[in-house]
Amino acid sequence: MELLQFIGIGGATNIDLGGNSCYFKKEGSLLVVDMCESATEKLISTNAFDDVVTIYIAITHTHF
């Protein structure tokens, strides 16, 4: 079973916990939900882009 990976749980009210964002990775595809400002750096540091061919981004609300 693939798991939803959170790369931040703080959001605008607690920036020390990172932006509220998560991703799901399966069979060469990466789905990022609510791509926050710091998400790219965190995705690189967790090797989330390794073996990814297709990237999808789901935006549930807008950011600054």
Side-chain angles (χ1 to χ4, degrees):
M1 173 190 278
E2 302 296 327
L3 298 175
L4 189 62
Q5 303 291 321
F6 284 85
I7 56 176
I9 58 170
T13 58
N14 190 340
I15 59 173
D16 292 336
L17 295 176
N20 192 9
S21 187
C22 58
Y23 70 92
F24 180 80
K25 187 174 173 182
K26 185 174 183 180
E27 300 174 1
S29 293
L30 175 69
L31 168 65
V32 182
V33 180
D34 290 333
M35 188 92 169
C36 62
E37 290 86 3
S38 61
T40 301
E41 182 179 318
K42 290 181 180 184
L43 289 167
I44 290 170
S45 69
T46 59
N47 300 316
F49 292 115
D50 290 358
D51 303 319
V52 169
V53 177
T54 306
I55 300 172
Y56 300 94
I57 299 174
I59 301 170
T60 64
H61 58 282
T62 59
H63 290 268
F64 297 115

